[in-house]
Amino acid sequence: MEYSPDTCACFTGHRAMTESEIKDAAVLVSEQIKKLYVRGVRNYFAGGAIGFDLAAAVTVLNMKRVYPDITLNLALPCPEYQSKWTRAEIELFDRVRSRADSEVYVSESYHRGCMQMRNKYMVDKSVFCIAYLREKRGGTYNTVSYALKKGIEVINLTDVPITDQISFDF
């Protein structure tokens, strides 16, 4: 599904999160959805990973009760990317997937760069990037760096200032 980028935001965040962090992140995501709705953002891209991605996706689906015109769009790296997930993680994702407005795989099979391809795909379609960035390494860091390099507004939900975290070596 194609949307105008000025109506889109994407999510990026860490996989390893405590249950408390996930609950806090969900509250912060819902607050951002409310703020971005006023600015015309209706379409959200989530990468389908455990941790922040799934928390954000569930939050978008819950916010549809308040804003029925918002969409959840899953950008997935490849069909077999969940091969190491637990049964509970797969079941949660399947519930999210069944309610998503669209999904796309950016690669037909797993390869070293397919997660990064997924992240770039989401950023390239968005005008906002909602991040849960705590550390200066990994996929979330790379995605935020890429978004900033492209001039995308990044909203970090942690108390870590973006300017302290980002270099433009991406």
Side-chain angles (χ1 to χ4, degrees), residues 4-160:
S4 172
D6 62 341
T7 67
C8 299
C10 64
F11 298 106
T12 186
H14 304 296
R15 290 186 185 107
M17 294 177 70
T18 66
E19 197 167 314
S20 174
E21 288 174 322
I22 287 173
K23 287 179 183 176
D24 291 345
V27 169
L28 295 170
V29 167
S30 66
E31 290 172 3
Q32 287 306 314
I33 290 171
K34 290 174 189 174
K35 290 176 184 176
L36 293 177
Y37 191 87
V38 173
R39 295 175 75 176
V41 176
R42 302 292 187 271
N43 308 297
Y44 293 88
F45 289 90
I50 58 173
F52 181 74
D53 281 8
L54 276 179
V58 168
T59 303
V60 171
L61 293 173
N62 288 333
M63 292 298 290
K64 281 179 163 254
R65 294 181 201 135
V66 179
Y67 305 112
D69 58 334
I70 65 173
T71 66
L72 173 64
N73 304 280
L74 299 174
L76 308 173
C78 61
E80 69 272 13
Y81 81 100
Q82 304 170 353
S83 64
K84 297 181 181 175
W85 287 17
T86 67
R87 177 179 290 234
E89 291 165 343
I90 291 170
E91 288 173 0
L92 173 59
F93 177 74
D94 285 345
R95 286 196 307 270
V96 167
R97 176 189 239 164
S98 72
R99 294 181 54 204
D101 295 280
S102 72
E103 72 177 57
V104 63
Y105 289 103
V106 299
S107 179
E108 292 180 16
S109 62
Y110 179 82
H111 59 86
R112 184 173 153 83
C114 70
M115 303 293 183
Q116 188 172 351
M117 282 174 57
R118 181 246 350 248
N119 297 340
K120 284 184 173 186
Y121 174 89
M122 294 189 303
V123 169
D124 289 345
K125 295 198 168 291
S126 300
V127 72
F128 294 99
C129 177
I130 302 169
Y132 192 90
L133 177 67
R134 293 181 305 224
E135 50 197 53
K136 194 175 178 177
R137 64 183 177 87
T140 300
Y141 170 75
N142 290 339
T143 304
V144 168
S145 296
Y146 180 69
L148 289 172
K149 189 175 185 176
K150 293 212 41 143
I152 303 299
E153 184 175 337
V154 176
I155 302 161
N156 190 17
L157 302 179
T158 71
D159 59 0
V160 176

